[in-house]
Structure formats: structure tokens, C-alpha cells
Amino acid sequence: MRKKNWGRFFGILGLVVYGIFVLFPIYWTVNTSFKEVGDVYKVPPSFVPTKFTLEAYRFVLQGTGRIALSNSLVVAIGATLIAVVLGTMASYAYSRYPFTGFTNEGAQFNLLTVRMFPPIAFLLPIFWLWKTLGLLDTHFALIVTYSAFNLPLAVWLLKGFMDSLPRSVEEASYVDGYSFWQTARRVVLPLIGSGLAATVALCWIFIWNEFIIAYLLGGTDVILYTAYLPALRRGMRIMWNQIAALSVLAIIPSVIILVLFRKYLIKIYLR
Amino acid sequence: MFQAKSRKIKTPYYLILPPQFLIWVVVIFPLIWAVYISFHDWNPTISPQRTFVGIGNYLAVLRDIRFLSALGRMLYYSGLGVTIQLVLGTVIALALVEYIRSPRIRTTVLVLFLLPMMMAEAVAAQMWTLLITDTGTINNILVWLGFSPVGWRAKELALTTIMIVDIWQWTALPLLIAYAARISIPEGLYESARLDGASKWLILRRITLPYMRVPLAIAFLLRFMDSYKFLDKVFIMTYGGPGTATELPTFYLYQTAFSYFKVGYGAAMSWIFGFIAIVAMFLFWRLAKSV
């Protein structure tokens, strides 16, 4: 009995130590975001802001920060929509109609290459594609690129949800006289609704978090927040409180998604 | 019945074509162009002229010391880093199930532990840069406690520092997968093992770990792929420096193609790197299956 208690003690201690390691940088960022810039550089460091101020947030939300965040929002929403709509179409077809040879295998292959190849290797030709078309640094190029990159993921996830839906449900709906589109809209989509929502959330988060595509395909006219972050670090005195404020603002939607979809995360990553 | 069957044959193509079109235009067609350009010498900042060099670029990449040492760094950064993430994640997941009984507290702790994984690599890199600069928070705390400051971004330590940040952010993924695998093991197995008088160590070795083998192999694969794929942390924390101390292959690729504008050379390098990565993945997968 005594031995067991010691094991439990060390187990919990280990969890606490890991918890501190995980949470300290996050706590420090939130802490810094409420500081004045002079307070950031103080020794010994102040564990709570000596003077609590929203100045950093005000600055970020008034200047380029707001433009960057709203650009990110537009691009992430647009690209997610395209990826999920096209992904739903493709995954339904792949799940319900046995394609022979090429198409099905081809889809799998698309997925694998997109996942394994480093994005920077794709970006070299894609950069020149958009440059040749004169579309570099536009919302359009970013949205199309992001949706193409996330389409395989959407197809992969959605096909799993579609496969688990019994086919007899649709047959019954056809027997009741529903057309193909009616069946899709009134029967199939509601039944995979939560899976669809999880897919939307995951695609959205991947696009929201992406850096190198945003940096190379955008950056001047259309700047996304991830590409704006390194730009904030230039200059003699780095405005760490503003960087922290922008980081906090950028993390909030991801945290909401994590809390809402915690049950799905496990399913999604294990598939 | 007949009608349903004919529907099956007719419908799919308009469902498949738009997604395939997008993939072909944005991914596959540019890749084919990249193959074409990799046989040429082309620096668009100097002249629009493309000179055909055959496989010259490929041979040059294979002899490029900077590329090869970047590969070596990747082996350290990804190999060691991901192994630590996997072991740490598994241990934490098992401890979570073993020592925290209340499902509510357990879920809360799990969500807290998953936080780093949800944020952008770029944001994580920025957060940590604040902590690890020479006058950053960690050094401030060290000095305050009477230790000497550590050069986290100095030549010897920089790559390891980035690896620690990667561990901080991504231990969450193996943790999540290991947790899911652990709670899906039927509890009855543990009960009957305990009835038979099996020790904890034996239960761990004979029940828990064998059950978790495949998910953990998948976790390793996913993590390894992502860790060689992304250059965000290097880009933001050190920009490859000091010197070339943190230059991973993806970052060298970025430099070649977008700073030096050696486009043909960069294309050849991306094919070689992609090929190496895919072969490594397949070898690992075969190995994981056979063990």
C-alpha cells in the first residue's frame, strides 16, 4: 500500500512538472501582452504586469495587425469552404461508387504526396505559377492554394465518416422518392453533420496556422498574421508586448476549436 | 433496383472532376513543371534564359556539402526530437490514465496539455524567442537566481533549442494518440491479469505496449513527416543561423529557391529531398510492421 502511494505521488509530480513546462510559455505570453514595453525587459522579470495595460492590444487592433488578422480570417474561411465542399463531393463519390484502378488509387496517391512532400518543395513551382499569371499577393491565389493543399485531408477525413454511414439509409430515401440532391441534402449531410463540423474545424486550423505559404505567396498587399509576426520583430527595440498580444489574439480561435472538438480530435488523428 | 444501379454508374464523375481539377492545376501540373525546370539552369534575377543541363543539377546537389550537412542536422533534429516526443507523450498519457481517476479532471488536463499543438508554429516560435534571447525571460530568471545566462541561440545550442521548442509543441500529438489507444484497451484484460497476480511491469510489457504499437508507429510517422516538412521555427527563431548551424534541408531549399533564386537547382534539390523522405518513410513503415 505504501509503495503504491509513492508511485502515485511521483506520477502526479511528473504530470505537474510537464504541465508547468507546457503552460509556462503560454502564461508568459499572456502576461507580456498586458505589459508596457519597458516592463518586458525588466530584471528580475515581473510575473504579473507592474502596470496592467491594454495598450498593446489597442495598437495591434488599430494598425496592420487588424488587417493581417482579417486577411487571415477571409483566406482561412474561403479556403476551408472550398476544400470542404469539394472534399464532400469527392469523398461521397469515393465512398459510394467503387472506382476501378486509377481514380481511387490516384486519390490516395495525391493525398500521400501532399502529406509527405515538404510544402516548400511545392511552393517553388506554385510561386512561379501565380507569378506568371500575375496573381501573386492576392486573396485568390492564397485561397486556391490553401484549398488545394487541404483538399486531400478533407477527402480523407470525410470518406471515413461517409464509410461509417450505412448505405441502406440512402436506399430508403430513394425508395421514398427523393432525388439524388434531396438525399444528399436532407439525409446524408445531416447524418454526417458532426463529422463535417470536425473536418471544417481541422482544415480551418491548418490554414489559420500556416506560415510559409502565407509568407511567400502573400506578404505585401495581402499579409496574413503569421507572415506579419516576423515583420514585427524588426527595429531596434522589439515591441514584445505587441507580438504577444497578436499571438494571444491568434490563439483564441484555436483554443475554442480545441475545447469544442476535443472528442473528435482523437478520432481524427487515429484514422 | 435497376434505377438505383444505373444511378450509381452515372453520377460520380461530376463529383470527382472539380476536386481533381483543383489538385491537378495547383499541385500536379506545377510539380511536372518542376521536373522540367530541374533539368535546366535558371536564375530569373539574372536572365530569363534557361540553359539545359541534363541531370547536372541532381549531381551537383548530391555533392553539395551544405545540403548533405543539412540532411545530417535533420537526422539529429527530427530523429532525436521525435523519439523524445514519442516517449514523453506515451509516458504522460499512461500517467494520465493511471493516476488521475476523475474523468472530468483528466479531460481538463488533457485539453491543457494539447494547447501547444493547436497554435501556429510561427506563434510558438515567437513565444519562445521572447523566452530564449540573450536578455530573454529564461536568462533573466537564471541571472536572478544567481546562475550565469545561457546562450540558447549560440552556435552549439541553437538547433537543440529549436528541438526543445518542437518537443514543447508537438509532444501533444503522440500524447493524444497514446491516450486514445490506452483507453481503447478493454479494461477486462487488466482485471484478469491482476487476478492472475501479474506485476505492473509485466502488464505494461505484455498488454499495454503491444496494444499501442501500431498507433504509436503511426504517431511517429506523422510527427517525423511534419518535423522535416516545416521550416517555420527555424525561419523565425534563428533564420538558419548562426552561420548555418540550424539550417535544415527545407530551410536551405528555401534559401536556394527564394533568396539565391537558383530555381532549377532548387527544383532538383526538392526532388532529391522528397525522394529521400519518402524512401525513409517506407523503410520505417516496413520496419514497424515487421517488428
Side-chain angles (χ1 to χ4, degrees):
Chain A
M1 201 63 216
R2 206 175 185 183
K3 207 177 145 200
K4 201 178 162 193
N5 277 339
W6 275 113
R8 201 177 148 73
F9 173 75
F10 281 117
I12 302 238
L13 187 71
L15 287 176
V16 169
V17 169
Y18 180 72
I20 292 171
F21 171 59
V22 165
L23 294 179
F24 181 77
I26 300 175
Y27 149 71
W28 200 258
T29 306
V30 176
N31 177 15
T32 306
S33 73
F34 291 117
K35 286 178 180 175
E36 283 175 322
V37 84
D39 201 6
V40 175
Y41 292 94
K42 247 173 54 184
V43 189
S46 43
F47 285 83
V48 284
T50 31
K51 193 183 157 218
F52 183 91
T53 167
L54 289 173
E55 196 191 323
Y57 285 93
R58 201 173 303 130
F59 183 87
V60 165
L61 285 177
Q62 272 167 359
T64 320
R66 189 179 61 190
I67 300 170
L69 282 172
S70 58
N71 277 337
S72 283
L73 208 60
V74 169
V75 168
I77 291 175
T80 305
L81 266 181
I82 296 177
V84 172
V85 168
L86 294 184
T88 311
M89 291 161 62
S91 61
Y92 186 71
Y94 287 132
S95 167
R96 287 301 184 260
Y97 304 94
F99 286 88
T100 48
F102 177 73
T103 28
N104 226 345
E105 295 278 307
Q108 304 270 330
F109 179 74
N110 288 352
L111 172 76
L112 275 179
T113 37
V114 172
R115 250 216 91 111
M116 280 192 191
F117 249 57
I120 186 74
F122 284 110
L123 271 169
L124 171 68
I126 289 172
F127 177 85
W128 289 100
L129 171 77
W130 295 124
K131 200 174 163 66
T132 316
L133 295 175
L135 287 169
L136 212 57
D137 225 352
T138 59
H139 285 97
F140 178 81
L142 281 165
I143 290 179
V144 171
T145 311
Y146 277 127
S147 52
F149 270 75
N150 282 276
L151 182 58
L153 175 80
V155 173
W156 189 42
L157 294 174
L158 286 166
K159 184 171 176 296
F161 292 117
M162 301 265 189
D163 284 344
S164 62
L165 192 70
R167 202 176 282 228
S168 54
V169 181
E170 291 150 67
E171 314 246 304
S173 140
Y174 287 133
V175 170
D176 285 349
Y178 273 18
S179 74
F180 177 78
W181 287 110
Q182 280 173 321
T183 306
R185 226 183 56 227
R186 301 211 180 130
V187 180
V188 179
L189 288 185
L191 280 175
I192 61 155
S194 48
L196 204 61
T199 310
V200 168
L202 205 68
C203 282
W204 189 87
I205 239 176
F206 276 134
I207 299 167
W208 178 256
N209 285 349
E210 209 286 330
F211 167 70
I212 195 69
I213 296 177
Y215 185 83
L216 286 174
L217 298 187
T220 327
D221 293 338
V222 181
I223 188 163
L224 305 189
Y225 86 88
T226 42
Y228 180 53
L229 277 171
L232 269 174
R233 273 233 320 267
R234 305 221 173 89
M236 287 302 284
R237 194 175 210 201
I238 300 165
M239 296 293 170
W240 277 113
N241 54 345
Q242 291 166 17
I243 296 178
L246 185 62
S247 304
V248 171
L249 291 172
I251 293 170
I252 289 171
S254 314
V255 172
I256 294 172
I257 287 179
L258 170 65
V259 172
L260 286 180
F261 289 95
R262 55 183 186 277
K263 287 189 183 117
Y264 279 94
L265 274 181
I266 295 176
K267 282 187 195 161
I268 280 169
Y269 272 109
L270 267 191
R271 182 164 292 134
Chain B
M1 196 61 214
F2 174 72
Q3 218 187 352
K5 217 167 191 175
S6 69
R7 202 198 305 274
K8 265 174 204 170
I9 297 159
K10 259 192 263 167
T11 31
Y13 286 98
Y14 62 82
L15 293 177
I16 300 282
L17 285 179
Q20 282 291 332
F21 177 76
L22 181 66
I23 291 282
W24 277 86
V25 171
V26 183
V27 179
I28 298 182
F29 166 69
L31 279 185
I32 294 169
W33 181 84
V35 174
Y36 161 80
I37 210 73
S38 72
F39 295 116
H40 293 73
D41 218 349
W42 183 38
N43 187 332
T45 52
I46 294 172
S47 84
Q49 191 66 45
R50 298 169 192 176
T51 343
F52 183 78
V53 291
I55 58 166
N57 279 333
Y58 288 87
L59 295 176
V61 170
L62 288 175
R63 276 186 309 227
D64 187 340
I65 288 295
R66 221 172 134 185
F67 177 70
L68 295 178
S69 47
L71 274 182
R73 263 175 233 125
M74 179 191 109
L75 216 60
Y76 169 72
Y77 172 80
S78 298
L80 183 62
V82 173
T83 308
I84 294 175
Q85 289 162 32
L86 198 75
V87 173
L88 189 61
T90 311
V91 169
I92 298 288
L94 292 179
L96 215 54
V97 176
E98 182 77 24
Y99 299 118
I100 300 187
R101 302 270 154 67
S102 146
R104 208 188 213 156
I105 297 176
R106 209 197 269 172
T107 319
T108 314
V109 173
L110 184 68
V111 166
L112 286 177
F113 283 1
L114 294 185
L115 273 177
M117 186 176 104
M118 306 303 288
M119 61 183 68
E121 297 236 339
V123 169
Q126 286 287 11
M127 287 168 54
W128 274 86
T129 310
L130 167 64
L131 298 179
I132 55 122
T133 49
D134 288 343
T135 55
T137 310
I138 292 181
N139 276 349
N140 276 352
I141 293 177
L142 285 178
V143 169
W144 180 47
L145 294 175
F147 297 98
S148 52
V150 177
W152 299 103
R153 292 200 293 181
K155 205 170 177 191
E156 306 77 32
L157 212 57
L159 193 62
T160 311
T161 305
I162 300 177
M163 190 170 91
I164 292 172
V165 179
D166 207 48
I167 292 170
W168 172 81
Q169 184 170 21
W170 286 108
T171 297
L173 183 67
L175 169 69
L176 175 67
I177 290 178
Y179 179 81
R182 171 60 185 83
I183 57 174
S184 69
I185 303 174
E187 206 48 42
L189 278 178
Y190 288 97
E191 268 160 38
S192 51
R194 258 178 246 125
L195 280 180
D196 288 346
S199 71
K200 269 194 168 169
W201 175 239
L202 196 68
I203 293 177
L204 179 73
R205 251 184 38 214
R206 291 287 162 79
I207 300 176
T208 313
L209 288 183
Y211 260 87
M212 290 170 53
R213 208 187 71 215
V214 175
L216 286 181
I218 294 174
F220 187 88
L221 214 64
L222 287 176
R223 272 310 304 143
F224 193 79
M225 285 196 298
D226 285 353
S227 84
Y228 72 66
K229 261 166 61 180
F230 291 114
L231 49 91
D232 311 16
K233 288 194 179 98
V234 171
F235 194 104
I236 286 173
M237 294 178 70
T238 61
Y239 206 75
T244 57
T246 54
E247 194 171 72
L248 295 174
T250 40
F251 190 77
Y252 182 41
L253 193 51
Y254 161 78
Q255 291 275 37
T256 309
F258 294 101
S259 298
Y260 315 143
F261 284 103
K262 295 200 270 182
V263 178
Y265 191 67
M269 196 192 294
S270 70
W271 281 109
I272 290 178
F273 180 57
F275 181 75
I276 292 173
I278 286 173
V279 167
M281 291 289 96
F282 274 116
L283 285 181
F284 172 79
W285 193 236
R286 294 275 305 265
L287 193 77
K289 264 184 170 172
S290 67
V291 171

